[in-house]
Amino acid sequence: MTVTQKLTMAHFRTPLFNDWCPGCGDFGILSSIQMALAELQLEPHRVVVFSGIGCSSKTPHYINTYGIHTVHGRPLPFAIAAKLANPSLTVLAVGGDGDGLGIGAGHFVAAGRRNVDITYILYDNGVYGLTKGQASPTLRRGLKTKALPRPNLNDAVNPVALAIVCGYTFVARGYAYDTRHLKELIKLGIQHKGTSFIQVLQPCPTYNDLHTKEWYAGEDRVDPDTKKPVPRLYKLEETGYDGEVKSPSEEEAVAKAVEAIKRSYEWGDRIPIGVFYRNPYVPTYDQRIASIAPIYLQSPPALQPIRTKSMKPVADVSPLFDELRVLY
Amino acid sequence: MGKNGGKKRFTLSWMIGGAQGSGVDSSANLFAYSIASAGYYVFGKREYYSNIKGEHSYFNVVAADSPVRSTVDNVHILASFDSETVFRHAWEVEAGGGIIYDVALENESLKNIPTIEERLKSEISEKLKNENVGETLRDVITVAKRRGVRTYPIPYMDLIKKTGEIIGEKQLTLLLRMVNTMAVAASFAILKADINRLHRGLSYAFRAKRAVVDMNFAACKVVYDYVKDNFSDDFPLTLPNRKNGEDLILVNGTTIVGIAKIVAGCRFQSYYPITPAADESVYIEDKQVFNLNAVSALDEYEYPHLAESKQLSEKGHILVFQSEDELAAIDMAIGASLAGIRAATSTSGPGFSLMAEGLGWAGMNEVPIVVTLFQRGGPSTGLPTRHEQADLLFAIFAGHGEFPRIVMASGDMTEAFYDTIKAFNYAEKFQVPVIHLLDKSLANSTQTIPIPSIDDVLLDRGLLINEHLEDRGYKRFQFTEDGISPRAPLGTRGAIFWNTGDEHDELGHISEDPVIRTRMMDKRMGKLELIKESIPAGDKVATYGDPDAKDWIVSWGSTKGPILDALEMLEEEGVGPIGFLQVKILHPFPAELCLETLQSARRIIDIEQNYSGQMGKLMAMESGLRPTNLILKYNGRPFTSTEIRDAVKEVLVRNTKRIVMNRGG
């Protein structure tokens, strides 16, 4: 492929049979990712998509970029290290709500503290699909989806609020069936310098019989005047909300974070999607490394020579031996 | 007591102790370096509690006129500046040896020392009772004198005041910390060693802090003169300067491994803080920017971006990343390795338990990584700061299912250096995870070793490609004759691939096809045979002693040092002949080489620092050879050479089947 050829969604598809359930929200998220990559004209071999375990974590196999399907809960550590080793790569991590906020919760928190320039997309359907519908960390207390033998006893994590307090510098929420909107969020996330977190609400047509496509569309509550359903989802940007921090002031960052967290608790009749919070003033991790070792930016691990043509090491450790040398 | 001159090796065993945080380590480094600087070889063992301040720690340094690889049970000089050290260790000082102690502490009582465990208190109390004395420090000293131990009461406070006058420092609290250095200086005076060597030792122990060095040296001189003026100079061991033609470094295990990783081209190391492994990562982080040489002779194909730019950097950099846990630590090493760089993680037992998950993924996806595993006392939290070799079978079997890996173990500092480099070569050549076993004893011991030469070091990156011209033709897990498929870093044009922990096809996509499953298992597991065939015999095992011996010791890891020193002692005593087979590659196990050496042996004496003789079991499983006798130790303290000497003699005389040693405080 030459660089002049315009990349389309087709360049980002693989010929594999996709074994997600018919109607799964994953399809919408997959398309949104492929559209975003194509619109950003990113060369497929310069992109790596990491995933954890679960239905959604099969995503990389369906995208024609480097695809690394890792361990349950661990896409972030893999992705962060790959990005730090070769900062010229565009790195995405994807995974489910159980993957990211259950078994991988520790990594979720730690990633927020680092602001490595990657984009993390969390597929949130409230259930563990591949193991037949157990409650995930985002299912609210007292709810009983159809595979549960009893109502859920645990309170739900609020992924947007958690991401903000952990320090993620771009925090957004999308909806799996609004692919145009989601695609724009993913593009913004990739373009943001720092760790971007995008929670994607998605129905699980097989196991989550509560938060269905119809429920999100508000089909259970018809406006008596228009006789039309009143959708539960609304777009933050359409309400004049702006979560972007506009100055390096700590005070503004905190005020914006508090406002975003407040918004993130809206649920039920009105559920916001869009960009909740964005702070471009937090130094990225590569900048932090460079503040100690300026050479890192010019010569990150993947670009460093380690051996000569004759396979000899190029590192000169004689000064290290000198520090330890016995002087008689 | 070892004697000067003659053919026999001259050996001095010196010990210093004190509360943690009071500078025991620096004073031991000071002594070790100064003695080395006087021309002697040294080996030092560090013992400490899992504690920051207050508990007892001690350092035992052995100095000798030939290379020394272990400590001994007896002590010639015990240097102290608190009473606990004397209560605990006075008993180890042999007749004719000496105890340096703070005269101001003579009235301190055993029962008032909260950091001595009750069990040990009763033992000490019993000993004192048997001697019909009380329980103060003075009483311990009295008992030592009865055994012919020389005693050196030092008025530290007076000498500190005197030092203060000399250097014009009125604030004595600033000088109090120097008692540790002063105990070393007193030792030097007793041993008639060259006080100027202490100045070099101070520069080594306190690195570039000139003012600290000068202040301490002033104190050293005051103490040195005091000891010369006030005590008789009849100590039977002396340490005159001697000529040593060897170019040596004084180094510990974590440092030598850290340096080796930089040489090996490791450019990413992830870790989560754990004792005793963390020292290695912290050392590398401190030295993260280093010089490069020979940058002009690069391969243009291998480094096309550098061939074009012409602006080659003169510096290299290794990124050390402190992760949130060891699950992430190993995953990060894998992620970095996928980007085409040499990557490692370093940990100890509890951390390695968490790494079992990532290890399996690396095995399944044929990702080269190096896991440096500094073993410590287990199970669970076990003995966090103490020594053990009980993770061997775990390292070989960690992870569910079956996947190829290499497990190797180093016997000493020099081996640790070269093995670290080999570990990366093996990992990349065979595209497997490599577990490099080390242990607390190696990590925290200091030793004089020849400066490792890197003249013959080669970095073999295996089948690593950096472009694939036929677009879409690339298969990461392509079936090949030897099971090794070309490996491309993430970001390579034309080489897009997928990885998954699921069974997969040649492209790396999930596959549950039974035919592909079998072929992929054969591909991966078949690499173990390739590894066996490719690694030279000398890297798998080493033999020492008489090749025709009927009695053979088998062991692995850092027991090598005390075994070799014990063999020298046994030879001097006319015991033997005894052979020693050290196994260096533990998996895949070199069964044929063991059979070659051991099949006509009368005794196979398995010496290990664990409860069950893990390598003996492994050898039996892999080769059918069973150890006839076991010499084991699992009290958390490394074997001394004298301990192994005694145990081997017992095996030879009484044919004892299982001996459990328990020495060391």
Side-chain angles (χ1 to χ4, degrees):
Chain A
M1 168 186 331
T2 61
V3 277
T4 49
Q5 186 183 347
K6 191 159 166 61
L7 293 162
T8 65
M9 236 182 115
H11 290 107
F12 293 93
R13 290 199 185 110
T14 58
L16 256 62
F17 168 72
N18 188 318
D19 65 1
W20 288 327
C21 303
C24 179
D26 290 353
F27 287 104
I29 306 173
L30 171 63
S31 304
S32 305
I33 295 171
Q34 288 165 327
M35 278 192 281
L37 295 174
E39 289 186 18
L40 292 173
Q41 292 293 296
L42 294 166
E43 287 190 276
H45 75 277
R46 302 304 300 167
V47 179
V48 192
V49 183
F50 289 87
S51 68
I53 292 294
C55 296
S56 55
S57 286
K58 291 181 180 178
T59 299
H61 294 284
Y62 306 129
I63 303 178
N64 185 43
T65 62
Y66 282 93
I68 311 295
H69 182 192
T70 74
V71 184
H72 198 19
R74 324 268 174 249
L76 286 172
F78 280 82
I80 285 170
K83 178 70 181 181
L84 293 178
N86 189 350
S88 71
L89 299 170
T90 296
V91 173
L92 274 66
V94 303
D97 40 4
D99 190 86
L101 298 170
I103 193 167
H107 311 304
F108 185 92
V109 172
R113 300 170 48 219
R114 297 174 178 143
N115 207 28
V116 176
D117 187 15
I118 62 169
T119 302
Y120 178 36
I121 303 170
L122 186 102
Y123 297 37
D124 181 359
N125 61 11
V127 293
Y128 285 85
L130 212 44
T131 48
K132 294 187 284 195
Q134 295 82 0
S136 90
T138 57
L139 190 71
R140 273 140 208 276
R141 174 159 47 91
L143 296 187
K144 185 184 165 311
T145 50
K146 70 181 183 193
L148 296 183
R150 48 151 180 78
N152 181 24
L153 298 181
N154 294 296
D155 278 309
V157 165
N158 177 336
V160 166
L162 182 62
I164 290 168
V165 298
C166 290
Y168 286 79
T169 52
F170 176 98
V171 180
R173 181 192 283 156
Y175 178 53
Y177 289 128
D178 191 344
T179 52
R180 276 176 190 285
H181 182 252
L182 178 56
K183 172 230 358 175
E184 289 303 324
L185 291 180
I186 294 170
K187 280 164 67 183
L188 287 173
I190 291 172
Q191 287 168 324
H192 172 73
K193 295 278 171 241
T195 311
S196 305
F197 171 67
I198 304 168
Q199 175 199 11
V200 186
L201 301 172
Q202 64 164 148
C204 171
T206 306
Y207 291 111
N208 191 333
D209 53 339
L210 302 175
H211 304 128
T212 59
K213 195 177 170 187
E214 292 73 24
W215 183 82
Y216 282 113
E219 287 181 14
D220 55 324
R221 41 177 213 172
V222 176
D223 185 316
D225 298 333
T226 62
K227 310 279 186 236
K228 280 186 179 166
V230 184
R232 288 189 159 79
L233 298 170
Y234 75 95
K235 298 191 171 88
L236 284 169
E237 55 272 28
E238 289 173 2
T239 64
Y241 176 89
D242 182 0
E244 174 152 347
V245 179
K246 303 278 202 274
S247 75
S249 113
E250 178 94 351
E251 212 170 60
E252 190 195 340
V254 171
K256 285 271 160 65
V258 168
E259 182 57 27
I261 289 169
K262 216 166 136 190
R263 279 292 179 114
S264 75
Y265 277 94
E266 289 181 15
W267 187 257
D269 290 344
R270 275 174 67 76
I271 302 170
I273 57 173
V275 179
F276 281 76
Y277 180 76
R278 181 169 178 266
N279 186 351
Y281 297 101
V282 180
T284 55
Y285 201 82
D286 52 353
Q287 292 170 332
R288 301 179 200 180
I289 299 170
S291 70
I292 293 159
I295 184 183
Y296 171 80
L297 292 179
Q298 165 212 343
S299 194
L303 296 184
Q304 281 189 53
I306 66 164
R307 61 174 187 176
T308 65
K309 213 168 188 169
S310 48
M311 294 164 70
K312 300 270 189 198
V314 296
D316 172 18
V317 291
S318 50
L320 303 184
F321 285 140
D322 285 344
E323 286 182 358
L324 306 166
R325 179 180 250 124
V326 176
L327 302 173
Y328 300 111
Chain B
M1 174 162 281
K3 56 181 190 294
N4 279 346
K7 270 189 198 162
K8 199 177 164 185
R9 174 154 94 175
F10 166 79
T11 300
L12 167 82
S13 170
W14 177 87
M15 185 185 280
I16 193 163
Q20 277 170 213
S22 66
V24 176
D25 258 25
S26 0
S27 53
N29 282 331
L30 166 63
F31 182 82
Y33 188 89
S34 304
I35 289 294
S37 169
Y40 296 85
Y41 296 87
V42 301
F43 181 92
K45 172 188 85 157
R46 179 179 169 218
E47 286 293 349
Y48 54 105
Y49 279 78
S50 180
N51 155 268
I52 298 173
K53 283 187 180 174
E55 295 271 13
H56 174 72
S57 73
Y58 72 94
F59 218 119
N60 188 189
V61 178
V62 174
D65 53 6
S66 61
V68 56
R69 299 156 284 215
S70 60
T71 56
V72 291
D73 294 313
N74 52 320
V75 172
H76 299 131
I77 291 184
L78 174 64
S80 74
F81 46 90
D82 69 343
S83 59
E84 179 168 358
T85 300
V86 183
F87 278 113
R88 283 176 178 261
H89 298 288
W91 324 95
E92 296 160 48
V93 181
E94 64 175 52
I99 298 176
I100 298 163
Y101 68 100
D102 187 347
V103 70
L105 304 176
E106 279 188 336
N107 291 326
E108 285 206 358
S109 173
L110 174 63
K111 65 173 187 295
N112 293 337
I113 300 176
T115 41
I116 299 183
E117 294 92 339
E118 285 309 315
R119 204 261 329 141
L120 181 58
K121 258 188 193 164
S122 338
E123 186 186 305
I124 297 170
S125 182
E126 192 67 23
K127 283 180 188 166
L128 293 169
K129 210 162 125 193
N130 291 340
E131 294 280 342
N132 291 314
V133 293
E135 294 200 339
T136 64
L137 182 67
R138 185 180 289 108
D139 297 308
V140 177
I141 293 293
T142 304
V143 172
K145 277 183 182 163
R146 285 179 194 166
R147 292 194 295 115
V149 172
R150 294 173 169 83
T151 56
Y152 301 88
I154 308 287
Y156 284 116
M157 201 56 208
D158 296 346
L159 299 178
I160 284 171
K161 280 181 194 153
K162 194 168 175 195
T163 306
E165 284 163 21
I166 290 170
I167 64 172
E169 177 60 66
K170 290 202 179 78
Q171 255 187 291
L172 293 185
T173 47
L174 291 177
L175 307 179
L176 286 176
R177 273 193 71 83
M178 296 196 302
V179 284
N180 57 349
T181 307
M182 295 165 87
V184 173
S187 310
F188 256 56
I190 294 166
L191 291 163
K192 301 194 188 77
D194 178 2
I195 187 170
N196 291 316
R197 304 295 161 150
L198 277 178
H199 197 268
R200 290 186 190 165
L202 287 167
S203 305
Y204 175 87
F206 296 108
R207 301 284 171 210
K209 293 175 208 154
R210 189 78 221 174
V212 180
V213 170
D214 290 345
M215 191 171 84
N216 274 274
F217 192 60
C220 284
K221 282 198 280 200
V222 169
V223 179
Y224 196 88
D225 290 343
Y226 178 84
V227 171
K228 285 200 127 172
D229 296 345
N230 289 278
F231 301 104
S232 70
D233 63 347
D234 61 346
F235 197 75
L237 294 176
T238 58
L239 282 182
N241 289 341
R242 67 182 286 280
K243 200 172 162 45
N244 191 334
E246 276 202 86
D247 203 359
L248 301 174
I249 51 172
L250 178 66
V251 71
N252 63 42
T254 51
T255 300
I256 199 75
V257 169
I259 296 174
K261 281 187 179 170
I262 294 172
V263 173
C266 177
R267 294 299 173 259
F268 184 93
Q269 164 132 325
S270 46
Y271 82 107
Y272 181 78
I274 192 166
T275 305
D279 289 351
E280 184 217 320
S281 298
V282 172
Y283 176 81
I284 303 175
E285 188 171 7
D286 186 37
K287 311 293 180 193
Q288 61 182 282
V289 178
F290 46 84
N291 295 332
L292 296 184
N293 52 35
V295 279
S296 54
L298 298 178
D299 184 332
E300 290 177 15
Y301 174 76
E302 187 172 1
Y303 302 112
H305 58 287
L306 296 179
E308 282 164 28
S309 77
K310 298 226 184 338
Q311 287 219 319
L312 301 184
S313 171
E314 285 170 7
K315 297 279 181 190
H317 178 241
I318 173 167
L319 180 58
V320 176
F321 196 97
Q322 184 186 325
S323 61
E324 57 271 28
D325 54 36
E326 287 93 348
L327 301 161
I330 188 165
D331 293 345
M332 286 181 165
I334 297 169
S337 174
L338 287 172
I341 63 171
R342 289 191 153 188
T345 182
S346 179
T347 191
S348 299
F352 187 67
S353 288
L354 293 190
M355 290 187 184
E357 177 189 87
L359 195 68
W361 196 93
M364 184 59 147
N365 288 284
E366 310 190 38
V367 183
I369 52 160
V370 172
V371 180
T372 309
L373 173 51
F374 287 95
Q375 299 164 94
R376 66 186 213 190
S380 189
T381 310
L383 296 166
T385 60
R386 309 291 180 176
H387 176 67
E388 198 165 80
Q389 300 178 291
D391 296 343
L392 172 60
L393 295 180
F394 182 48
I396 292 174
F397 297 111
H400 52 281
E402 297 162 292
F403 58 91
R405 76 189 82 189
I406 293 173
V407 178
M408 56 199 290
S410 301
D412 56 36
M413 310 273 174
T414 304
E415 280 183 27
F417 180 82
Y418 292 111
D419 286 351
T420 299
I421 299 165
K422 284 176 194 163
F424 287 95
N425 285 347
Y426 296 156
E428 288 203 298
K429 197 170 166 191
F430 305 111
Q431 301 182 14
V432 292
V434 175
I435 299 155
H436 182 195
L437 288 171
L438 297 141
D439 53 46
K440 183 266 169 181
S441 177
L442 264 173
N444 292 149
S445 295
T446 56
Q447 192 181 4
T448 44
I449 61 165
I451 296 184
S453 161
I454 54 175
D455 292 348
D456 297 326
V457 168
L458 294 179
L459 306 185
D460 182 352
R461 304 212 62 186
L463 214 46
L464 181 67
I465 59 170
N466 63 5
E467 61 179 334
H468 193 265
L469 299 174
E470 303 156 62
D471 202 8
R472 290 180 178 276
Y474 180 72
K475 292 176 178 170
R476 170 66 189 93
F477 301 105
Q478 187 186 349
F479 292 118
T480 59
E481 208 161 296
D482 63 1
I484 309 290
S485 321
R487 185 169 66 94
L490 297 174
T492 305
R493 183 180 294 281
I496 283 177
F497 64 76
W498 292 268
N499 276 178
T500 172
D502 287 65
E503 189 54 274
H504 43 260
D505 59 20
E506 288 178 276
L507 289 169
H509 287 309
I510 300 169
S511 173
E512 298 188 22
D513 181 313
V515 175
I516 287 181
R517 160 67 173 179
T518 305
R519 285 191 74 185
M520 276 296 170
M521 280 297 286
D522 292 346
K523 171 194 195 299
R524 287 189 299 266
M525 294 303 283
K527 292 196 286 189
L528 285 171
E529 272 311 309
L530 179 70
I531 292 164
K532 272 190 180 178
E533 289 162 14
S534 311
I535 296 181
D539 287 349
K540 294 185 203 169
V541 298
T543 53
Y544 302 89
D546 188 341
D548 299 320
K550 287 285 161 199
D551 294 316
W552 278 86
I553 290 170
V554 295
S555 193
W556 62 283
S558 73
T559 49
K560 176 190 173 187
I563 289 171
L564 289 181
D565 282 343
L567 285 178
E568 272 186 19
M569 293 175 185
L570 289 165
E571 203 185 337
E572 273 178 26
E573 293 179 27
V575 179
I578 302 167
F580 167 35
L581 174 75
Q582 178 203 1
V583 183
K584 295 159 82 171
I585 301 270
L586 282 311
H587 183 82
F589 193 81
E592 297 77 11
L593 293 170
C594 289
L595 279 165
E596 234 171 71
T597 308
L598 301 173
Q599 60 192 351
S600 54
R602 170 178 54 199
R603 285 197 188 87
I604 299 175
I605 308 163
D606 180 19
I607 302 184
E608 297 188 57
Q609 290 228 233
N610 54 54
Y611 180 88
S612 42
Q614 294 191 7
M615 198 203 73
K617 285 184 191 298
L618 183 66
M619 192 171 70
M621 184 178 97
E622 296 278 358
S623 70
L625 290 165
R626 279 176 191 284
T628 54
N629 309 77
L630 293 168
I631 297 173
L632 304 168
K633 187 176 183 182
Y634 40 86
N635 71 350
R637 278 61 173 174
F639 274 121
T640 58
S641 51
T642 38
E643 198 171 26
I644 288 179
R645 175 199 62 196
D646 297 348
V648 169
K649 279 199 313 208
E650 190 183 324
V651 167
L652 296 184
V653 174
R654 299 206 192 108
N655 200 28
T656 313
K657 292 296 172 195
R658 179 184 167 93
I659 300 177
V660 176
M661 302 306 284
N662 202 18
R663 295 181 196 167

